[in-house]
Amino acid sequence: GAGVSQSPSNKVTEKGKDVELRCDPISGHTALYWYRQSLGQGLEFLIYFQGNSAPDKSGLPSDRFSAERTGGSVSTLTIQRTQQEDSAVYLCASSLGKGWNTGELFFGEGSRLTVL
Amino acid sequence: DAKTTQPPSMDCAEGRAANLPCNHSTISGNEYVYWYRQIHSQGPQYIIHGLKNNETNEMASLIITEDRKSSTLILPHATLRDTAVYYCIVRVARDDKIIFGKGTRLHILP
């Protein structure tokens, strides 16, 4: 596809269950970001993948959160033992890893997670 | 830690130029200034970025002061569709992560 694709677009789960959110970045983009946005709040940085470098996990709020990126393309964000405070929109973005405009991020439509 | 300071909200009349300020007094010589906006319920959208020189594209102009301690994003003819939260971001290097602050909520008044 032409843009960043995220799935599912909506996820409702029960407290304590695990969830997986998927992101397909734009082809050729070596940088991939995960952010989350709670209702009425700003974007909270979670994790950043850049090429083959070790990911920057400094934004992950707890060890219940993890993410991986396979083959330098698709990424999965996993939340274990979900809590109600995990309810938010999870946004994925990708960008080119080289050149003048590596900071131009292209965002997906987000995955809205609701934990009951 | 936020590297930028922006007013929480601003109003602008439709058709007028919207001038959004950003302070980044601790910016270093190799740090870029980026601007994004987020329209309600959508993902953020890149607008423009710069290092030292003023920049212009089809969306906006970016004016960076000579000492680089502040910048202004200019939307030359604001429309109602420009109502959004505007984020000013300072990024250390090309491979550094991008952190969003609280931004400025711009209201375009009819």
Side-chain angles (χ1 to χ4, degrees):
Chain A
V4 177
S5 178
Q6 292 189 245
S7 60
S9 56
N10 277 286
K11 176 72 176 179
V12 180
T13 190
E14 294 179 347
K15 178 182 174 181
K17 295 288 181 67
D18 297 351
V19 296
E20 284 189 352
L21 308 176
R22 176 187 169 103
C23 173
D24 276 289
I26 293 172
S27 179
H29 281 194
T30 60
L32 187 147
Y33 296 75
W34 282 99
Y35 298 88
R36 75 174 175 181
Q37 189 167 34
S38 302
L39 188 63
Q41 303 299 309
L43 279 84
E44 177 186 3
F45 166 78
L46 297 178
I47 189 168
Y48 167 47
F49 297 89
Q50 172 57 282
N52 295 321
S53 302
D56 182 332
K57 304 180 181 180
S58 59
L60 294 178
S62 76
D63 58 7
R64 296 187 296 105
F65 288 73
S66 63
E68 63 178 23
R69 189 177 185 192
T70 55
S73 181
V74 172
S75 177
T76 302
L77 177 69
T78 302
I79 309 172
Q80 296 178 311
R81 305 181 302 282
T82 53
Q83 303 295 312
Q84 289 183 331
E85 60 264 29
D86 300 334
S87 296
V89 176
Y90 289 80
L91 290 159
C92 176
S94 70
S95 73
L96 290 169
K98 297 180 180 179
W100 159 247
N101 206 7
T102 60
E104 181 175 0
L105 301 186
F106 295 82
F107 280 81
E109 294 296 314
S111 292
R112 181 177 299 277
L113 174 66
T114 303
V115 182
L116 301 177
Chain B
D1 292 336
K3 292 189 173 184
T4 63
T5 304
Q6 298 178 255
S9 67
M10 291 182 61
D11 292 338
C12 178
E14 189 177 18
R16 306 296 288 266
N19 297 285
L20 294 102
C22 180
N23 284 324
H24 29 79
S25 58
T26 60
I27 194 169
S28 300
N30 61 344
E31 292 182 321
Y32 294 76
V33 180
Y34 283 82
W35 283 84
Y36 277 78
R37 73 179 182 184
Q38 187 175 26
I39 297 170
H40 181 63
S41 299
Q42 298 181 20
Q45 176 190 25
Y46 164 84
I47 301 173
I48 199 168
H49 78 287
L51 182 61
K52 298 179 182 178
N53 300 322
N54 298 336
E55 302 287 342
T56 296
N57 62 21
E58 65 278 5
M59 290 183 66
S61 294
L62 173 61
I63 308 298
I64 302 174
T65 58
E66 191 169 347
D67 63 8
R68 304 186 69 241
K69 293 183 183 300
S70 66
S71 60
T72 301
L73 179 75
I74 301 172
L75 308 177
H77 305 287
T79 71
L80 295 177
R81 289 176 295 180
D82 293 322
T83 294
V85 177
Y86 286 78
Y87 297 96
C88 171
I89 298 161
V90 166
R91 188 188 194 202
V92 172
R94 289 182 177 181
D95 58 356
D96 194 25
K97 58 183 179 283
I98 290 183
I99 303 296
F100 289 80
K102 296 186 178 180
T104 295
R105 186 171 297 277
L106 177 65
H107 301 276
I108 304 301
L109 307 176

